[in-house]
Amino acid sequence: MNWLTVLVASVGTYLLKLLGLLVPEKVLEHPRVRRITTLMPVALLAALIVMQTFSSGSRFTLDARAAGLAAALVAVLLKAPFLVVVVAACATTALVRLLL
Amino acid sequence: MSVPAAERTARRAVVRDAVAIALTTGAYALSFGAVGVASGLTVTQTSALSVLMFSGGSQFALVGVLAGGGGAASAISVALLLGARNAFYGIRLAPMLGVRGAHRLLAGQFVIDETTAMTVGQESVRLQRLAFWATGVSLFVLWNLGTLVGALGAGALADPLVLGMDAAAPAAFLALLWPRLREGGALPVALAGAVVCMVAVPFVPAGVPILLAAVAAAVAGAFGRKPLTVDDRGKGA
Protein backbone atom coordinates (compact mmCIF):
# COMPACT_ATOMS: atom_id res chain seq x y z
CA MET A 1 0.00 0.00 0.00
CA ASN A 2 2.82 2.40 0.88
CA TRP A 3 4.57 1.65 -2.40
CA LEU A 4 1.37 2.42 -4.28
CA THR A 5 1.07 5.74 -2.44
CA VAL A 6 4.71 6.63 -3.12
CA LEU A 7 4.51 5.76 -6.80
CA VAL A 8 1.14 7.32 -7.61
CA ALA A 9 1.99 10.55 -5.77
CA SER A 10 5.43 10.71 -7.42
CA VAL A 11 4.11 10.15 -10.94
CA GLY A 12 1.38 12.74 -10.34
CA THR A 13 3.87 15.29 -9.01
CA TYR A 14 6.18 14.71 -11.97
CA LEU A 15 3.35 15.17 -14.46
CA LEU A 16 2.41 18.48 -12.80
CA LYS A 17 6.01 19.67 -13.12
CA LEU A 18 6.18 18.56 -16.75
CA LEU A 19 2.79 20.06 -17.61
CA GLY A 20 4.03 23.65 -17.55
CA LEU A 21 6.92 22.84 -19.87
CA LEU A 22 4.52 21.29 -22.39
CA VAL A 23 2.43 24.42 -22.96
CA PRO A 24 2.91 25.27 -26.66
CA GLU A 25 5.08 28.32 -27.36
CA LYS A 26 2.35 29.79 -29.58
CA VAL A 27 0.07 30.19 -26.57
CA LEU A 28 2.79 31.95 -24.59
CA GLU A 29 3.46 34.56 -27.28
CA HIS A 30 0.28 36.51 -26.64
CA PRO A 31 1.29 39.72 -24.74
CA ARG A 32 -1.33 39.27 -22.05
CA VAL A 33 -0.31 35.65 -21.47
CA ARG A 34 3.35 36.69 -21.39
CA ARG A 35 2.52 39.27 -18.76
CA ILE A 36 0.69 36.73 -16.63
CA THR A 37 3.40 34.07 -16.90
CA THR A 38 6.08 36.62 -16.00
CA LEU A 39 4.19 37.76 -12.91
CA MET A 40 3.30 34.20 -11.86
CA PRO A 41 6.62 33.12 -10.29
CA VAL A 42 6.96 36.55 -8.64
CA ALA A 43 3.61 36.12 -6.88
CA LEU A 44 4.25 32.44 -6.06
CA LEU A 45 7.71 33.01 -4.62
CA ALA A 46 6.56 36.06 -2.63
CA ALA A 47 3.74 33.96 -1.19
CA LEU A 48 6.19 31.16 -0.44
CA ILE A 49 8.53 33.56 1.40
CA VAL A 50 5.83 34.82 3.77
CA MET A 51 4.28 31.39 4.19
CA GLN A 52 7.58 29.73 5.08
CA THR A 53 8.34 32.55 7.50
CA PHE A 54 5.03 33.34 9.18
CA SER A 55 3.06 30.11 9.26
CA SER A 56 3.20 26.62 10.73
CA GLY A 57 0.69 24.29 9.20
CA SER A 58 -2.51 26.32 9.02
CA ARG A 59 -1.58 28.74 11.82
CA PHE A 60 0.09 32.15 11.79
CA THR A 61 3.30 32.19 13.77
CA LEU A 62 5.78 34.86 14.66
CA ASP A 63 9.05 33.28 15.71
CA ALA A 64 12.80 33.29 15.12
CA ARG A 65 12.29 32.88 11.37
CA ALA A 66 10.92 36.43 11.17
CA ALA A 67 14.20 37.75 12.59
CA GLY A 68 16.03 35.66 10.00
CA LEU A 69 14.00 37.14 7.15
CA ALA A 70 14.54 40.65 8.54
CA ALA A 71 18.30 40.00 8.55
CA ALA A 72 18.04 38.75 4.97
CA LEU A 73 16.18 41.91 3.98
CA VAL A 74 18.86 44.11 5.55
CA ALA A 75 21.56 42.12 3.78
CA VAL A 76 19.73 42.45 0.45
CA LEU A 77 19.33 46.20 0.95
CA LEU A 78 23.06 46.43 1.65
CA LYS A 79 23.61 44.59 -1.64
CA ALA A 80 25.32 41.69 0.12
CA PRO A 81 26.25 38.65 -2.00
CA PHE A 82 23.69 35.84 -2.16
CA LEU A 83 25.59 33.54 0.16
CA VAL A 84 25.89 36.27 2.81
CA VAL A 85 22.12 36.86 2.67
CA VAL A 86 21.40 33.18 3.30
CA VAL A 87 24.02 32.78 6.04
CA ALA A 88 22.85 35.99 7.77
CA ALA A 89 19.27 34.66 7.81
CA CYS A 90 20.28 31.25 9.21
CA ALA A 91 22.67 32.67 11.81
CA THR A 92 20.12 35.25 13.02
CA THR A 93 17.36 32.64 13.25
CA ALA A 94 19.63 30.22 15.13
CA LEU A 95 20.76 32.95 17.51
CA VAL A 96 17.26 34.26 18.25
CA ARG A 97 16.04 30.69 18.76
CA LEU A 98 18.89 30.04 21.17
CA LEU A 99 18.13 33.19 23.17
CA LEU A 100 14.33 32.86 23.33
CA MET B 1 36.61 29.40 -28.11
CA SER B 2 37.26 32.03 -25.50
CA VAL B 3 34.71 33.23 -23.01
CA PRO B 4 34.83 36.89 -21.91
CA ALA B 5 36.03 37.37 -18.32
CA ALA B 6 32.78 39.04 -17.21
CA GLU B 7 30.77 36.09 -18.51
CA ARG B 8 33.09 33.65 -16.75
CA THR B 9 32.68 35.52 -13.46
CA ALA B 10 28.91 35.58 -13.87
CA ARG B 11 28.83 31.86 -14.57
CA ARG B 12 31.01 31.06 -11.60
CA ALA B 13 28.69 33.14 -9.38
CA VAL B 14 25.65 31.22 -10.67
CA VAL B 15 27.25 27.85 -9.96
CA ARG B 16 28.38 28.98 -6.50
CA ASP B 17 24.85 30.19 -5.62
CA ALA B 18 23.37 26.98 -6.99
CA VAL B 19 25.62 24.89 -4.75
CA ALA B 20 24.78 27.12 -1.77
CA ILE B 21 21.07 26.53 -2.32
CA ALA B 22 21.69 22.81 -2.72
CA LEU B 23 23.68 22.66 0.52
CA THR B 24 21.16 24.53 2.68
CA THR B 25 18.16 22.75 1.16
CA GLY B 26 20.02 19.45 1.19
CA ALA B 27 20.45 19.78 4.94
CA TYR B 28 16.67 19.48 5.11
CA ALA B 29 16.84 16.15 3.36
CA LEU B 30 18.49 14.72 6.48
CA SER B 31 15.38 15.48 8.47
CA PHE B 32 13.14 14.35 5.61
CA GLY B 33 14.89 10.97 5.66
CA ALA B 34 14.37 10.65 9.41
CA VAL B 35 10.73 11.79 9.24
CA GLY B 36 10.03 9.46 6.33
CA VAL B 37 11.23 6.37 8.19
CA ALA B 38 9.42 7.48 11.36
CA SER B 39 6.17 7.75 9.36
CA GLY B 40 6.29 4.03 8.59
CA LEU B 41 7.94 4.06 5.18
CA THR B 42 10.98 1.85 4.61
CA VAL B 43 14.39 3.36 3.85
CA THR B 44 13.91 2.38 0.19
CA GLN B 45 10.46 3.96 0.00
CA THR B 46 11.72 7.16 1.65
CA SER B 47 14.62 7.37 -0.79
CA ALA B 48 12.33 6.55 -3.70
CA LEU B 49 10.22 9.58 -2.78
CA SER B 50 13.25 11.87 -2.96
CA VAL B 51 14.35 10.45 -6.32
CA LEU B 52 10.94 10.23 -7.96
CA MET B 53 8.95 13.03 -6.37
CA PHE B 54 11.85 15.47 -5.76
CA SER B 55 9.70 18.26 -4.38
CA GLY B 56 10.35 18.99 -0.71
CA GLY B 57 6.98 20.48 0.22
CA SER B 58 5.05 17.60 -1.33
CA GLN B 59 7.32 15.00 0.26
CA PHE B 60 7.05 16.39 3.80
CA ALA B 61 3.26 16.71 3.37
CA LEU B 62 2.91 13.13 2.17
CA VAL B 63 4.88 11.54 5.02
CA GLY B 64 3.14 13.92 7.44
CA VAL B 65 -0.26 12.54 6.43
CA LEU B 66 1.01 8.95 6.66
CA ALA B 67 2.54 9.60 10.09
CA GLY B 68 -0.79 11.01 11.25
CA GLY B 69 -2.52 7.80 10.24
CA GLY B 70 -4.09 9.30 7.11
CA GLY B 71 -4.96 7.09 4.16
CA ALA B 72 -3.27 6.80 0.78
CA ALA B 73 -5.84 8.99 -0.95
CA SER B 74 -5.37 11.96 1.35
CA ALA B 75 -1.57 11.54 1.32
CA ILE B 76 -1.57 11.58 -2.47
CA SER B 77 -3.95 14.51 -2.80
CA VAL B 78 -2.07 16.75 -0.37
CA ALA B 79 1.19 16.01 -2.21
CA LEU B 80 -0.43 16.90 -5.53
CA LEU B 81 -1.97 20.10 -4.17
CA LEU B 82 1.44 21.22 -2.97
CA GLY B 83 3.01 20.19 -6.26
CA ALA B 84 0.50 22.06 -8.41
CA ARG B 85 2.45 25.32 -8.25
CA ASN B 86 5.27 23.64 -10.14
CA ALA B 87 3.01 23.58 -13.21
CA PHE B 88 2.91 27.39 -13.11
CA TYR B 89 6.68 27.54 -12.73
CA GLY B 90 7.04 25.35 -15.80
CA ILE B 91 4.98 27.72 -17.93
CA ARG B 92 7.37 30.55 -17.04
CA LEU B 93 10.50 28.44 -17.46
CA ALA B 94 9.57 26.83 -20.80
CA PRO B 95 10.58 29.77 -23.06
CA MET B 96 13.76 30.37 -21.02
CA LEU B 97 14.95 26.77 -21.15
CA GLY B 98 13.94 25.95 -24.71
CA VAL B 99 14.07 22.20 -24.04
CA ARG B 100 12.72 19.54 -26.41
CA GLY B 101 12.26 15.78 -26.37
CA ALA B 102 14.26 13.83 -23.78
CA HIS B 103 15.76 17.05 -22.41
CA ARG B 104 12.28 18.30 -21.64
CA LEU B 105 11.38 15.07 -19.82
CA LEU B 106 14.53 15.42 -17.72
CA ALA B 107 14.02 19.15 -17.11
CA GLY B 108 10.51 18.37 -15.88
CA GLN B 109 11.85 16.64 -12.81
CA PHE B 110 13.81 19.78 -11.85
CA VAL B 111 10.92 22.27 -12.06
CA ILE B 112 10.67 23.28 -8.38
CA ASP B 113 10.83 26.39 -6.16
CA GLU B 114 14.63 26.56 -5.96
CA THR B 115 15.37 26.12 -9.66
CA THR B 116 12.65 28.60 -10.60
CA ALA B 117 13.90 31.27 -8.20
CA MET B 118 17.47 30.82 -9.46
CA THR B 119 16.47 30.82 -13.13
CA VAL B 120 14.20 33.88 -13.11
CA GLY B 121 16.89 35.68 -11.11
CA GLN B 122 19.34 35.68 -14.04
CA GLU B 123 19.79 38.34 -16.68
CA SER B 124 20.57 36.38 -19.85
CA VAL B 125 19.16 33.22 -21.37
CA ARG B 126 22.60 31.60 -21.14
CA LEU B 127 22.79 32.24 -17.39
CA GLN B 128 19.15 31.26 -16.92
CA ARG B 129 19.82 27.85 -18.44
CA LEU B 130 23.02 27.39 -16.45
CA ALA B 131 21.19 28.39 -13.25
CA PHE B 132 18.38 25.92 -13.91
CA TRP B 133 20.60 22.92 -14.60
CA ALA B 134 23.27 23.72 -12.01
CA THR B 135 20.66 24.18 -9.27
CA GLY B 136 18.62 21.17 -10.41
CA VAL B 137 21.51 18.72 -10.64
CA SER B 138 23.35 19.79 -7.47
CA LEU B 139 20.16 19.90 -5.43
CA PHE B 140 19.06 16.51 -6.79
CA VAL B 141 22.36 14.93 -5.76
CA LEU B 142 22.46 16.47 -2.27
CA TRP B 143 18.74 16.03 -1.63
CA ASN B 144 18.95 12.31 -2.33
CA LEU B 145 22.21 11.84 -0.47
CA GLY B 146 20.76 13.69 2.54
CA THR B 147 17.57 11.63 2.43
CA LEU B 148 19.45 8.34 2.44
CA VAL B 149 21.75 9.37 5.26
CA GLY B 150 18.80 10.72 7.28
CA ALA B 151 16.73 7.59 6.65
CA LEU B 152 19.60 5.39 7.81
CA GLY B 153 19.43 7.09 11.18
CA ALA B 154 21.81 10.00 11.02
CA GLY B 155 18.96 12.50 10.83
CA ALA B 156 19.08 12.98 14.57
CA LEU B 157 22.66 14.24 14.32
CA ALA B 158 21.72 17.36 12.45
CA ASP B 159 18.67 19.32 13.51
CA PRO B 160 18.16 21.95 10.81
CA LEU B 161 16.18 24.10 13.25
CA VAL B 162 19.13 24.50 15.63
CA LEU B 163 21.17 25.85 12.74
CA GLY B 164 18.38 28.17 11.65
CA MET B 165 18.21 26.38 8.30
CA ASP B 166 14.46 26.91 8.07
CA ALA B 167 15.21 30.56 7.31
CA ALA B 168 17.50 29.64 4.41
CA ALA B 169 14.86 29.08 1.73
CA PRO B 170 12.82 32.26 2.33
CA ALA B 171 16.07 34.29 2.53
CA ALA B 172 17.35 32.76 -0.70
CA PHE B 173 14.05 33.39 -2.49
CA LEU B 174 14.02 36.97 -1.23
CA ALA B 175 17.55 37.60 -2.51
CA LEU B 176 16.71 36.11 -5.91
CA LEU B 177 13.36 37.82 -6.25
CA TRP B 178 14.50 41.28 -5.11
CA PRO B 179 15.94 42.59 -8.40
CA ARG B 180 12.80 41.42 -10.23
CA LEU B 181 10.50 43.44 -7.96
CA ARG B 182 11.51 46.77 -9.44
CA GLU B 183 10.41 45.77 -12.91
CA GLY B 184 7.09 46.39 -14.61
CA GLY B 185 4.60 46.42 -11.77
CA ALA B 186 5.99 43.27 -10.16
CA LEU B 187 6.09 44.70 -6.63
CA PRO B 188 2.31 45.16 -6.20
CA VAL B 189 1.76 41.67 -7.59
CA ALA B 190 4.31 40.20 -5.17
CA LEU B 191 2.62 41.97 -2.26
CA ALA B 192 -0.83 40.89 -3.45
CA GLY B 193 0.36 37.28 -3.76
CA ALA B 194 1.86 37.36 -0.27
CA VAL B 195 -1.26 38.90 1.30
CA VAL B 196 -3.72 36.59 -0.48
CA CYS B 197 -1.65 33.58 0.57
CA MET B 198 -1.42 34.57 4.22
CA VAL B 199 -5.10 35.44 4.49
CA ALA B 200 -5.96 32.02 3.08
CA VAL B 201 -3.56 29.98 5.26
CA PRO B 202 -5.95 29.28 8.18
CA PHE B 203 -8.94 28.49 5.97
CA VAL B 204 -7.89 26.25 3.09
CA PRO B 205 -5.91 22.99 2.79
CA ALA B 206 -2.10 23.05 2.49
CA GLY B 207 -0.93 24.01 -0.98
CA VAL B 208 -4.03 26.03 -1.85
CA PRO B 209 -2.82 29.39 -0.39
CA ILE B 210 0.09 29.40 -2.83
CA LEU B 211 -2.23 28.61 -5.73
CA LEU B 212 -4.44 31.54 -4.75
CA ALA B 213 -1.35 33.75 -5.09
CA ALA B 214 -1.08 32.47 -8.66
CA VAL B 215 -4.68 33.53 -9.22
CA ALA B 216 -3.76 37.00 -7.93
CA ALA B 217 -0.94 37.16 -10.47
CA ALA B 218 -3.23 36.02 -13.26
CA VAL B 219 -5.80 38.69 -12.43
CA ALA B 220 -3.15 41.40 -12.18
CA GLY B 221 -1.58 40.26 -15.45
CA ALA B 222 -4.87 40.07 -17.29
CA PHE B 223 -6.25 43.42 -16.19
CA GLY B 224 -3.10 45.43 -15.55
CA ARG B 225 -2.52 48.07 -18.16
CA LYS B 226 1.08 48.95 -17.52
CA PRO B 227 3.24 47.57 -20.30
CA LEU B 228 5.63 44.96 -19.02
CA THR B 229 9.20 45.39 -20.07
CA VAL B 230 10.68 42.63 -17.98
CA ASP B 231 10.18 39.95 -20.25
CA ASP B 232 11.58 40.50 -23.49
CA ARG B 233 14.58 38.75 -22.26
CA GLY B 234 12.77 35.41 -22.37
CA LYS B 235 13.49 35.35 -26.10
CA GLY B 236 16.79 35.05 -27.90
CA ALA B 237 20.20 35.14 -26.33
Side-chain angles (χ1 to χ4, degrees):
Chain A
M1 191 60 181
N2 278 344
W3 267 119
L4 192 68
T5 308
V6 166
L7 293 177
V8 171
S10 295
V11 170
T13 308
Y14 173 70
L15 291 178
L16 282 170
K17 293 188 209 171
L18 187 63
L19 191 65
L21 294 182
L22 294 176
V23 174
E25 231 165 283
K26 270 260 172 347
V27 178
L28 301 175
E29 276 166 13
H30 189 280
R32 188 149 290 188
V33 176
R34 286 250 308 270
R35 201 181 141 80
I36 293 174
T37 58
T38 306
L39 291 173
M40 200 69 87
V42 172
L44 288 169
L45 290 170
L48 204 59
I49 291 169
V50 293
M51 204 180 73
Q52 289 179 340
T53 305
F54 299 107
S55 78
S56 294
S58 58
R59 295 207 338 267
F60 296 117
T61 44
L62 188 64
D63 57 26
R65 289 171 298 174
L69 189 66
L73 184 61
V74 171
V76 165
L77 289 172
L78 293 174
K79 300 195 190 303
F82 176 77
L83 205 54
V84 175
V85 176
V86 174
V87 171
C90 293
T92 307
T93 304
L95 192 65
V96 170
R97 196 165 276 150
L98 193 70
L99 296 175
L100 287 183
Chain B
M1 199 166 78
S2 76
V3 182
E7 173 78 6
R8 258 205 320 269
T9 313
R11 282 195 205 174
R12 215 174 298 137
V14 166
V15 172
R16 192 186 52 220
D17 293 353
V19 172
I21 286 205
L23 279 173
T24 49
T25 312
Y28 254 88
L30 286 172
S31 62
F32 173 73
V35 170
V37 171
S39 78
L41 295 181
T42 63
V43 172
T44 318
Q45 286 166 340
T46 305
S47 283
L49 266 183
S50 281
V51 172
L52 301 173
M53 186 173 271
F54 189 53
S55 189
S58 296
Q59 291 178 227
F60 271 107
L62 184 137
V63 298
V65 170
L66 293 182
S74 48
I76 292 167
S77 47
V78 77
L80 293 183
L81 265 181
L82 278 160
R85 65 173 178 272
N86 295 327
F88 293 114
Y89 291 152
I91 296 174
R92 179 69 189 97
L93 294 177
M96 293 175 162
L97 300 178
V99 281
R100 290 279 170 275
H103 271 118
R104 179 148 61 183
L105 295 180
L106 182 63
Q109 183 67 331
F110 295 154
V111 175
I112 52 175
D113 300 323
E114 289 81 3
T115 49
T116 304
M118 272 293 285
T119 306
V120 303
Q122 308 306 322
E123 299 295 336
S124 69
V125 169
R126 215 186 288 255
L127 290 177
Q128 284 163 353
R129 290 179 184 176
L130 176 65
F132 178 82
W133 291 105
T135 310
V137 170
S138 54
L139 184 51
F140 188 81
V141 170
L142 286 172
W143 183 253
N144 283 293
L145 195 65
T147 301
L148 184 61
V149 172
L152 290 174
L157 295 179
D159 181 354
L161 295 189
V162 170
L163 299 172
M165 293 286 201
D166 50 339
F173 296 151
L174 179 71
L176 294 167
L177 194 57
W178 195 256
R180 297 281 82 84
L181 293 180
R182 281 195 301 260
E183 298 166 332
L187 182 61
V189 173
L191 292 175
V195 169
V196 165
C197 171
M198 285 314 284
V199 168
V201 157
F203 304 110
V204 295
V208 177
I210 296 272
L211 297 180
L212 292 175
V215 174
V219 171
F223 297 108
R225 238 161 263 179
K226 218 168 172 184
L228 194 68
T229 48
V230 193
D231 206 35
D232 301 60
R233 86 167 63 94
K235 298 246 141 205

